[in-house]
Amino acid sequence: MTDGSDKSWSEYISVYCMTKEAIEKDKKKDELGMHNNNNISVGDEGHTSVDADFEPFPYNNSDKLDPGELNNLADQLSTLLEENDGGDQKSIDYLNVRGAILNEGAVEGRPLSNNGKLEIRSLGIAFYELFSGGHLTVAAEAETLGRTAAESEVGGDDELYGNNPSKRRSLQSSSNNLDSLAQVQPSSMVSISVAPLKLLGLPTALCDLISNMIDSVDGDAHDNGGSYGFISEVRDDLKLMIDSPNLYLQDVDLAKAVNIGLQFGRSAYGREAEMQTLKECYQRSISSECEVAMISGTSGIGKSKLSQEFARSVNDDGGSIFLSGRFDKLESQPLHAISSAFDKYCAWVTMGDHSMAEKVSTALKENMGEEVACLVTVMPNLANILGDDFNSDQSNKNDDTAVDAQKGLRYLFCQFVDVISRCHEEPLILFLDDCQWIDNASVTLLNQILIMSDSAIRDRRFFFFGACRDDEMSESHPLNIMLTTMNSLCGTETTKIQLTSMSKSALNEMLSTELSSLSRITRPLANILHHKTKGSPLFVKQVMMELYKQRLLYPSLAHRRWVWETNKILDMKIPENVATFITNTFDRLPFEMLSALVVLSCFGASADISLMEVLEKEIEQPLIAPLDDAVAHSVLGKRNGKLYFMHDKLQEAAYSKMKPEERSLHHNRYGIALGFVAVRERDDRLLLTAVTQINHGGPQAVIDEEQAVVVANLNLDAGKKAMNMSDFFAAHSFFDHGISYLRLQRGHWNEHYDLSLELFNLAARCALTNAERDIVKMLIDQIMHNTNCFEDNFQAISVKGSLLSSSGNVPAAVELVKTTLSNLDEGLPSAITPTVIKRYLDNTKTYLANLSDESLLSYKAMINPSKIFTVELLFKMYGYLTLIDKRAALPIIPLKVIQLSLTYGMSPHSPSAFAQYGNYLALIEDKFEEGYRYVKLALSLMKKTASRAHDGSTIFWSTHTRLHVEPMQSSIECYFDAFKAHMKSGKHTPTPYGVPPCIICAAYGRARN
């Protein structure tokens, strides 16, 4: 370029690539890469016709580059990296830019000779002139050229950003500057000032690249990552800028970095293979096979991060409904992880498109009826979907007569999953974190979701995967046993994805991305951190946060990027494991912040902000402000009304700050404070949280007998709430803790008889549901030993009969019921003959002869405890006799129940008894009109009964007669309704008590004859 030229500088600059065999033919050309034709095309054989010109950016001294022009810059840079692997073109052996020839050895990554480094320097100067729009010259003074690098060395960064004018060198114009540079020995090269590039607003990374290329002749600079030793490094840096211009061609927001500090993104680094395995498992699951995945690894290895990355990837690839929950070893809320995942779904639907909320609401009501409201107890946001006009009384019912409410809730949950999965075109994905802490109830529920939602899985709408600590998940873990069983029974495969520590290259990628610095520059820091942390992602982040706090890693205004003190970091003493490191860092936190973190850690990995606000007021200790400071220190996160530890290791470190003997006192103090608020405000969720805290403290933290009784009552209330939510494991734990507090007081059966009796009875019932037979037997023995009257033994007798039956000793259960019925003066005949059955039939007809349907429907409910218990025992006897194939007495039982109902009032079993009576009239006596009347009466009585435990039995028996009167198609549907009612009540048998209708009808037939 000559001074005073009218042409643009871009007309004189061209990048030219050619093959090795063609270089000799081009030696005769006067200009190689610098000419006056913008589009030279060389026709000699062997050339690759890649001729790239660059358009200059218009600017003046006061202008900055528009950020939008960075993409244009990236497009221009991409010309330098053309692969030229298509057509007849050959690979590039030489790259010529303004006379700088980069030899083949340099391209292959071999260290450059001094001449090779001069060539990189020449390329750097060319880049300088390319992006500045001007030219750069070398001083002609002999004394300047004779100075050594050490003598002439100035602060490269200061020069690059123009912060030290006194050290800059004014270089005069020379049209032969490249030739002059080629003649200068490396030891006498001077640093080149590229300050004008900053005035143009050029990105820091590009300034660094040009500066480092110019400084490549400095032999020591490469050791510190400050200059280039390989042309492949230049290529890699350029490729990073081209592939990620928004990351590397935009400067760090220094104001944000200074004010907010070091922040980490959401990407998982070095997990490409694991991500691909998870994606393939997902694709198989939603295409043809039933498959689940489990991500395992040590704490802090990046399991949760991989799941988040997977969620984003799936959403980008076509969308999905991604639900997530997390188990917590300090959390006692029933089915918390799974229910919270679906509760978030309900909140998402409510806040989203109104038409989708209407669609989901309609589908749930049509498919599940009013029973869907039972799920509101575990998914509060479901109430917003169902609407105010929906009858939600079911959500508050504690159906003590349900066969197994836990099984019923699981069935409703499965129906819910199936219904919502059909409302969306996108697949439904459920992720559960920290599965090493999954409770037995959640294992059972998850198992049933996977099995009973198989229609959704077959229709490619459901996928489950989880994450766990492999060092806390043995082969005997309940979840592993469940997955193994599913594989053997259902063929559901489990893909196991094992995560290990990050490699050095992955760690360097992380630093390069998070610090927005070229990977070549961050590589020395990455090597140091990998050595100190062994590549644990959590450990790396915690160390980096500590480096930031100690000002060993900080945003530099002078350098316009993050910088670090390499030598000081190298000398820094760091423990061998992340737990010790985190614990040590906590010691340096302000006292008030650490105290608040200790309080929060008592509630697990997260807690509602509203909960902390209530506790702050009750215990009169600052919590919210210090916890907000902890958020600023990146110890905590804050989202959706919750405060949460950024990792469970942080929670464990905060919790460890309490001495073991102090922890029980802290838990007790917080629980008692919250318990009084829960009772006063009638807040059931707060009650469970409060009682859980008290129980973490245990009996040793109770101050006196009076407080022990208060705590026992709180556990009784919490246990009932847990039963309402069908978590009998949690309920039994509450009742058991309540008993343990009562035992602090001698003679509690005398002093607190009613409380003791209720706690023991409910504990026995829960233990029976949980198949803890030894505990059931022990509790029953204590009840029967301490009760004051026979009536107080009713619940224990009922549980004992179920225990004997479930243990295989059905004859003993039959004898127990017979003896009890005799003691109640309601014994059955010792010999059941057709004559006896006919007498019962005639008596029943006499009772009903003058009663209309209206009068029967208006009958009062049975309230006599002895008679209610009698009816319950009669139907238990019905089931026991069926199991041992002694069915002679079966016809008498429903007739006796009808007679008791007409004398003492209607019980929950009365509708089923009337349905069986209607069957006899229609199918045996051929009185279809009269039989159909009692069948319809039975269904009407069923709707009036509060309990839903026996609906399946009533519907089932009624359908036999309806088949002969109503259209067959509609009647057959009733069998399916009976099945669903059985499932909701937890009675998972195909017919009531497993008795085919023909057997009952045959018995009635013999009596008639």
Side-chain angles (χ1 to χ4, degrees):
M1 181 183 294
T2 58
D3 293 338
S5 172
D6 294 332
K7 294 185 178 182
S8 169
W9 60 269
S10 65
E11 297 183 52
Y12 295 89
I13 296 179
S14 178
V15 180
Y16 194 76
C17 303
M18 64 185 66
T19 58
K20 186 174 182 180
E21 62 186 273
I23 192 63
E24 295 298 328
K25 296 183 180 181
D26 259 20
K27 283 184 178 179
K28 296 180 180 180
K29 294 186 178 291
D30 294 332
E31 292 183 69
L32 186 59
M34 186 173 182
H35 46 74
N36 292 328
N37 188 342
N38 281 343
N39 295 290
I40 291 181
S41 179
V42 181
D44 294 335
E45 182 179 359
H47 287 234
T48 59
S49 299
V50 179
D51 191 6
D53 293 325
F54 290 81
E55 295 181 7
F57 291 106
Y59 73 98
N60 56 49
N61 290 336
S62 63
D63 289 338
K64 298 293 183 181
L65 284 177
D66 186 273
E69 295 184 57
L70 294 177
N71 290 331
N72 184 23
L73 173 62
D75 291 337
Q76 295 188 49
L77 283 174
S78 65
T79 309
L80 298 174
L81 299 173
E82 289 286 339
E83 302 250 337
N84 296 297
D85 56 355
D88 298 330
Q89 295 175 342
K90 299 181 180 180
S91 62
I92 296 174
D93 296 300
Y94 290 84
L95 176 65
N96 183 284
V97 180
R98 297 188 59 127
I101 300 176
L102 309 182
N103 61 60
E104 182 180 12
V107 173
E108 291 178 350
R110 292 195 288 271
L112 291 170
S113 63
N114 285 339
N115 289 336
K117 293 181 179 180
L118 283 173
E119 291 159 358
I120 294 182
R121 183 183 179 91
S122 299
L123 180 60
I125 294 173
F127 268 55
Y128 173 91
E129 297 189 5
L130 176 67
F131 290 107
S132 68
H135 53 263
L136 189 66
T137 61
V138 179
E141 293 91 343
E143 63 272 17
T144 300
L145 293 177
R147 291 166 60 186
T148 64
E151 292 170 337
S152 63
E153 181 179 336
V154 293
D157 288 322
D158 286 338
E159 289 185 304
L160 179 60
Y161 304 114
N163 294 322
N164 199 339
S166 64
K167 291 186 178 182
R168 295 189 201 129
R169 189 145 310 268
S170 177
L171 303 176
Q172 302 300 318
S173 301
S174 173
S175 59
N176 298 321
N177 54 32
L178 294 179
D179 294 334
S180 300
L181 282 171
Q183 297 172 5
V184 179
Q185 297 300 316
S187 62
S188 61
M189 293 300 295
V190 296
S191 295
I192 301 298
S193 173
V194 290
L197 297 182
K198 178 192 175 184
L199 299 179
L200 294 176
L202 223 61
T204 299
L206 195 56
C207 292
D208 286 342
L209 178 136
I210 295 171
S211 176
N212 293 160
M213 284 196 292
I214 293 174
D215 291 340
S216 62
V217 294
D218 185 349
D220 296 328
H222 180 256
D223 296 336
N224 297 322
S227 66
Y228 290 102
F230 306 91
I231 190 60
S232 59
E233 295 175 337
V234 180
R235 176 200 63 203
D236 293 343
D237 285 356
L238 286 171
K239 192 172 190 311
L240 284 175
M241 296 180 194
I242 294 165
D243 291 344
S244 305
N246 293 330
L247 181 62
Y248 297 108
L249 293 181
Q250 292 192 29
D251 284 345
V252 173
D253 187 342
L254 294 176
K256 180 179 179 181
V258 170
N259 293 326
I260 299 180
L262 183 62
Q263 299 291 316
F264 293 97
R266 300 180 296 174
S267 298
Y269 299 97
R271 304 300 188 196
E272 292 78 11
E274 293 86 351
M275 177 65 70
Q276 185 61 31
T277 300
L278 185 57
K279 286 183 177 180
E280 290 173 356
C281 175
Y282 167 70
Q283 289 298 330
R284 288 192 297 270
S285 178
I286 65 172
S287 60
S288 59
E289 303 175 12
C290 294
E291 190 167 349
V292 301
M294 286 298 298
I295 305 171
S296 61
T298 58
S299 177
I301 206 64
K303 303 180 290 294
S304 302
K305 191 71 70 176
L306 180 63
S307 72
Q308 296 167 7
E309 190 78 7
F310 169 74
R312 287 193 294 271
S313 175
V314 170
N315 188 59
D316 293 341
D317 291 343
S320 65
I321 310 298
F322 189 87
L323 311 178
S324 64
R326 182 180 184 182
F327 294 101
D328 192 326
K329 62 181 177 181
L330 292 180
E331 177 61 64
S332 67
Q333 291 279 356
L335 305 172
H336 175 74
I338 300 177
S339 60
S340 66
F342 287 100
D343 191 46
K344 293 173 188 174
Y345 164 83
C346 295
W348 171 75
V349 169
T350 304
M351 294 184 295
D353 183 17
H354 180 70
S355 61
M356 176 54 67
E358 284 291 327
K359 180 180 180 181
V360 173
S361 177
T362 301
L364 289 172
K365 293 173 182 177
E366 289 180 351
N367 287 271
M368 301 179 65
E370 65 180 20
E371 284 81 7
V372 67
C374 295
L375 295 175
V376 172
T377 56
V378 292
M379 290 182 281
N381 283 306
L382 176 59
N384 297 326
I385 295 179
L386 299 178
D388 296 335
D389 59 335
F390 188 70
N391 181 12
S392 60
D393 291 342
Q394 294 286 336
S395 64
N396 298 316
K397 286 184 180 178
N398 182 4
D399 190 356
D400 291 332
T401 60
V403 177
D404 191 335
Q406 195 174 46
K407 291 180 181 177
L409 181 71
R410 290 199 296 266
Y411 175 72
L412 291 173
F413 227 122
C414 293
Q415 273 197 306
F416 177 82
V417 173
D418 190 62
V419 170
I420 65 173
S421 65
R422 295 180 185 278
C423 291
H424 302 278
E425 294 182 0
E426 304 89 346
L428 188 68
I429 300 176
L430 174 62
F431 168 68
L432 296 177
D433 203 357
D434 283 330
C435 286
Q436 70 274 2
W437 292 321
I438 190 172
D439 55 279
N440 290 328
S442 294
V443 171
T444 307
L445 174 58
L446 179 61
N447 181 48
Q448 196 158 336
I449 289 176
L450 293 174
I451 292 175
M452 293 192 67
S453 298
D454 58 354
S455 60
I457 295 174
R458 286 196 304 270
D459 292 339
R460 310 170 188 178
R461 289 192 299 272
F462 187 81
F463 174 63
F464 164 74
F465 74 108
C468 64
R469 296 183 186 178
D470 54 358
D471 53 351
E472 298 185 33
M473 284 275 287
S474 64
E475 291 299 323
S476 60
H477 191 279
L479 182 60
N480 278 334
I481 294 175
M482 184 271 283
L483 293 175
T484 302
T485 303
M486 281 199 63
N487 183 31
S488 60
L489 295 180
C490 309
T492 302
E493 296 288 341
T494 299
T495 296
K496 296 184 178 181
I497 301 173
Q498 181 73 35
L499 297 188
T500 57
S501 298
M502 289 192 297
S503 63
K504 287 183 179 180
S505 61
L507 198 158
N508 190 38
E509 179 190 359
M510 171 184 167
L511 296 185
S512 175
T513 303
E514 301 296 346
L515 301 179
S516 297
S517 297
L518 296 171
S519 58
R520 172 183 54 85
I521 295 176
T522 58
R523 187 172 293 112
L525 177 61
N527 290 338
I528 295 173
L529 292 180
H530 192 275
H531 174 74
K532 291 181 177 293
T533 65
K534 303 301 184 292
S536 166
L538 174 64
F539 205 170
V540 170
K541 292 179 180 179
Q542 290 300 311
V543 170
M544 290 181 67
M545 293 300 301
E546 186 64 20
L547 295 179
Y548 173 75
K549 293 174 184 176
Q550 295 188 25
R551 302 296 295 167
L552 299 179
L553 172 67
Y554 55 92
S556 169
L557 295 176
H559 299 106
R560 296 195 303 178
R561 62 176 174 83
W562 288 91
V563 297
W564 48 89
E565 304 290 343
T566 303
N567 292 332
K568 292 182 180 179
I569 295 173
L570 189 61
D571 295 337
M572 187 177 179
K573 302 296 182 183
I574 294 178
E576 293 186 357
N577 64 79
V578 64
T580 304
F581 179 82
I582 293 175
T583 302
N584 292 343
T585 59
F586 270 39
D587 291 334
R588 294 189 287 275
L589 293 176
F591 174 78
E592 194 172 68
M593 184 192 300
L594 181 58
S595 298
L597 288 171
V598 169
V599 174
L600 180 64
S601 72
C602 291
F603 294 84
S606 66
D608 291 338
I609 296 175
S610 59
L611 175 66
M612 290 295 103
E613 291 173 343
V614 171
L615 188 61
E616 179 181 58
K617 181 179 179 181
E618 293 299 318
I619 65 176
E620 299 181 347
Q621 175 183 338
L623 293 178
I624 299 301
L627 293 177
D628 283 338
D629 291 340
V631 173
H633 280 71
S634 298
V635 178
L636 299 179
K638 192 174 185 179
R639 183 175 63 243
N640 298 331
K642 282 183 174 292
L643 288 166
Y644 60 93
F645 286 92
M646 296 299 288
H647 195 274
D648 51 23
K649 281 293 183 184
L650 296 172
Q651 183 267 332
E652 292 171 5
Y655 194 69
S656 69
K657 288 302 176 182
M658 294 181 291
K659 295 179 181 179
E661 60 272 17
E662 296 175 346
R663 294 173 187 170
S664 60
L665 298 177
H666 280 274
H667 283 298
N668 179 271
R669 180 190 176 203
Y670 307 146
I672 292 293
L674 294 174
F676 286 125
V677 177
V679 173
R680 184 175 67 246
E681 303 294 334
R682 297 182 180 181
D683 189 330
D684 291 335
R685 294 177 67 85
L686 184 59
L687 174 66
L688 293 175
T689 300
V691 178
T692 298
Q693 286 295 308
I694 295 172
N695 292 342
H696 282 318
Q700 65 271 21
V702 173
I703 58 177
D704 54 33
E705 292 184 357
E706 182 179 354
Q707 189 181 77
V709 175
V710 170
V711 171
N713 274 292
L714 288 174
N715 270 282
L716 176 63
D717 293 338
K720 290 179 178 179
K721 176 62 178 175
M723 289 180 70
N724 234 4
M725 302 171 75
S726 297
D727 189 336
F728 286 80
F729 290 99
H732 181 261
S733 176
F734 286 127
F735 297 139
D736 187 56
H737 275 97
I739 291 171
S740 69
Y741 291 111
L742 276 183
R743 284 174 173 161
L744 294 176
Q745 192 175 49
R746 291 184 178 181
H748 64 86
W749 278 101
N750 294 324
E751 296 294 329
H752 305 284
Y753 178 80
D754 292 339
L755 176 60
S756 299
L757 181 62
E758 191 169 11
L759 279 171
F760 274 80
N761 273 326
L762 291 174
R765 179 181 168 189
C766 290
L768 176 67
T769 303
N770 300 337
E772 297 172 312
R773 294 170 182 168
D774 291 339
I775 295 177
V776 175
K777 186 177 184 302
M778 177 191 68
L779 291 170
I780 290 173
D781 289 343
Q782 293 190 50
I783 292 170
M784 292 185 171
H785 177 73
N786 289 285
T787 49
N788 293 333
C789 60
F790 179 64
E791 287 75 10
D792 289 344
N793 285 326
F794 284 173
Q795 291 190 47
I797 292 172
S798 178
V799 170
K800 185 175 182 179
S802 299
L803 175 65
L804 292 171
S805 175
S806 62
S807 302
N809 194 358
V810 181
V814 171
E815 289 304 315
L816 174 65
V817 172
K818 284 183 177 180
T819 301
T820 306
L821 288 173
S822 297
N823 292 335
L824 293 168
D825 296 325
E826 296 292 349
L828 294 174
S830 56
I832 308 297
T833 64
T835 302
V836 173
I837 296 175
K838 187 177 185 304
R839 185 173 71 248
Y840 270 87
L841 281 169
D842 292 341
N843 290 340
T844 302
K845 290 179 180 180
T846 302
Y847 272 103
L848 293 170
N850 299 318
L851 294 175
S852 65
D853 291 352
E854 290 74 15
S855 62
L856 289 171
L857 289 173
S858 63
Y859 249 62
K860 61 183 179 181
M862 189 178 292
I863 58 174
N864 186 314
S866 297
K867 302 308 175 183
I868 293 173
F869 186 53
T870 297
V871 172
E872 178 187 342
L873 288 180
L874 285 170
F875 271 85
K876 277 183 174 291
M877 175 70 82
Y878 196 112
Y880 298 156
L881 293 175
T882 302
L883 290 174
I884 59 176
D885 202 24
K886 291 185 177 181
R887 294 173 172 149
L890 296 186
I892 289 181
I893 291 176
L895 299 175
K896 188 171 181 63
V897 169
I898 291 176
Q899 293 174 20
L900 289 170
S901 300
L902 296 177
T903 305
Y904 299 100
M906 297 295 175
S907 81
H909 291 280
S910 299
S912 178
F914 275 99
Q916 293 187 50
Y917 177 67
N919 279 337
Y920 162 74
L921 295 177
L923 303 181
I924 303 302
E925 295 190 349
D926 295 330
K927 297 178 180 179
F928 283 98
E929 183 177 352
E930 188 177 0
Y932 187 52
R933 171 202 167 193
Y934 284 108
V935 162
K936 291 193 295 181
L937 174 69
L939 295 172
S940 298
L941 283 171
M942 178 190 76
K943 294 177 181 178
K944 291 189 62 176
T945 303
S947 173
R948 303 270 69 84
H950 311 292
D951 286 3
S953 174
T954 303
I955 298 171
F956 176 80
W957 290 112
S958 299
T959 304
H960 305 328
T961 297
R962 296 174 68 183
L963 281 172
H964 293 80
V965 179
E966 299 175 356
M968 181 172 291
Q969 184 61 38
S970 62
S971 300
I972 291 176
E973 288 292 327
C974 295
Y975 281 119
F976 183 62
D977 293 338
F979 169 78
K980 290 195 293 184
H982 276 289
M983 297 298 290
K984 291 173 184 176
S985 70
K987 190 190 300 179
H988 296 171
T989 54
T991 61
Y993 317 108
V995 184
C998 60
I999 294 178
I1000 303 298
C1001 291
Y1004 283 127
R1006 288 192 298 271
R1008 182 187 182 193
N1009 294 330

